[in-house]
Amino acid sequence: KQEVTQIPAALSVPEGENLVLNCSFTDSAIYNLQWFRQDPGKGLTSLLLIQSSQREQTSGRLNASLDKSSGRSTLYIAASQPGDSATYLCAGCYNQGGKLIFGQGTELSVKP
Amino acid sequence: DVKVTQSSRYLVKRTGEKVFLECVQDMDHENMFWYRQDPGLGLRLIYFSYDVKMKEKGDIPEGYSVSREKKERFSLILESASTNQTSMYLCASSLLAYGYTFGSGTRLTVV
C-alpha cells in the first residue's frame, strides 16, 4: 500500500532558525512529489514540485530534496520567519496526473 | 498562473438538502479532483475526472456524485446532505508534469 508519512506532526522553532521537515513514502516508484503550505481555514498553496528524475528544487528560502532509493523527501526552510507558520504537507503522485497521496502534515510555528 | 476557483468559501445547509459545490479552473487541465479534509484524517479523495464526462471514484465516494460537462468545471454533489459531511472541501486540477493547483476550499456545515 502506498503511504506517505510526515514526522513530526508539530514543530516549534525560534525565528531565524534553519529547519528541515521530513516526508517518507513506502513505494519508491514515485512519479513526482509536491510540497504544499496550508494556512488555517485556507486551501493548499503549492511550494515546490520535484519530478522523479530530479534530486532537488529551490524557491527562495525553500529547498526540497527527493531520494527515491530511501523513500524520503525533505523541505529545508532557511532563516525561518513568523510568516512561515503554517501546516506543511507533502504528497506523492504515482502516475501522470494521478491522485495525490498525502502525508498528515507538519504544523510549524515560528516564534518571534 | 493557473487558478482554481471554488464558488463558495462557506456554506451552511440543512440535513437532507441536495448540495452543489462548484469548481472552475482557467487553464486547459485534463484532470480535476475533489478532496475533503478533516482533523485527524487528513485529505481524502472523493472523486476525480480525467476528461469531460469521465469520472472515477476515489477513496470515499459514498454519499457523493460528480458532474463534468465542460472541461473547466467539476461539480461535487451531495445527494442528501448529512451531518457527517460537514467538512472542508478542496478542489484541485493538474496537468501531467506540472503538479497540482488547489482552490481556496469550501467550508461546509450541515445542520
Side-chain angles (χ1 to χ4, degrees):
Chain A
K1 183 181 177 185
Q2 294 161 340
E3 293 181 345
V4 176
T5 304
Q6 292 182 252
I7 296 173
L11 181 65
S12 182
V13 300
E15 183 177 2
E17 194 163 293
N18 302 326
L19 61 100
V20 174
L21 305 181
N22 295 299
C23 173
S24 61
F25 43 94
T26 55
D27 186 346
S28 62
I30 201 162
Y31 185 78
N32 62 45
L33 187 136
Q34 198 164 357
W35 282 91
F36 297 91
R37 168 185 172 138
Q38 186 175 32
D39 294 290
K42 302 288 180 63
L44 276 65
T45 300
S46 179
L47 298 173
L48 289 164
L49 169 70
I50 311 177
Q51 303 295 339
S52 60
S53 57
Q54 297 173 322
R55 289 276 185 146
E56 63 179 60
Q57 283 285 337
T58 298
S59 176
R61 294 182 295 109
L62 306 180
N63 175 278
S65 69
L66 178 66
D67 184 342
K68 289 174 58 179
S69 61
S70 66
R72 294 182 62 186
S73 176
T74 61
L75 179 67
Y76 174 82
I77 302 177
S80 58
Q81 303 170 358
D84 295 330
S85 298
T87 296
Y88 290 81
L89 294 142
C90 70
C93 184
Y94 285 89
N95 52 61
Q96 286 190 14
K99 68 177 186 177
L100 289 176
I101 299 174
F102 281 90
Q104 292 289 331
T106 294
E107 185 176 357
L108 174 66
S109 176
V110 181
K111 306 290 188 186
Chain B
D1 280 350
V2 176
K3 197 168 184 182
V4 177
T5 302
Q6 294 184 231
S7 54
S8 305
R9 288 297 308 277
Y10 301 96
L11 274 180
V12 180
K13 297 291 181 181
R14 294 193 179 277
T15 300
E17 272 193 78
K18 190 169 186 176
V19 180
F20 293 84
L21 302 183
E22 306 288 345
C23 177
V24 177
Q25 47 104 355
D26 66 358
M27 285 291 286
D28 201 27
H29 282 189
E30 302 288 343
N31 308 319
M32 297 188 74
F33 305 81
W34 275 106
Y35 289 84
R36 66 177 279 179
Q37 185 178 32
D38 301 287
L41 296 175
L43 282 100
R44 295 179 290 168
L45 181 65
I46 306 171
Y47 265 97
F48 57 105
S49 170
Y50 287 151
D51 203 349
V52 175
K53 298 195 185 292
M54 290 182 64
K55 60 184 179 183
E56 299 279 346
K57 291 180 180 179
D59 300 319
I60 52 163
E62 297 78 19
Y64 303 93
S65 63
V66 289
S67 172
R68 194 165 181 201
E69 296 296 319
K70 294 185 178 181
K71 195 172 190 178
E72 67 271 17
R73 185 181 296 271
F74 192 36
S75 302
L76 180 69
I77 303 158
L78 284 66
E79 298 292 343
S80 177
S82 63
T83 55
N84 63 13
Q85 293 178 310
T86 291
S87 185
M88 170 71 102
Y89 289 87
L90 293 161
C91 175
S93 71
S94 76
L95 179 64
L96 300 179
Y98 296 99
Y100 285 65
T101 300
F102 278 81
S104 55
T106 296
R107 171 73 66 184
L108 172 68
T109 302
V110 182
V111 298

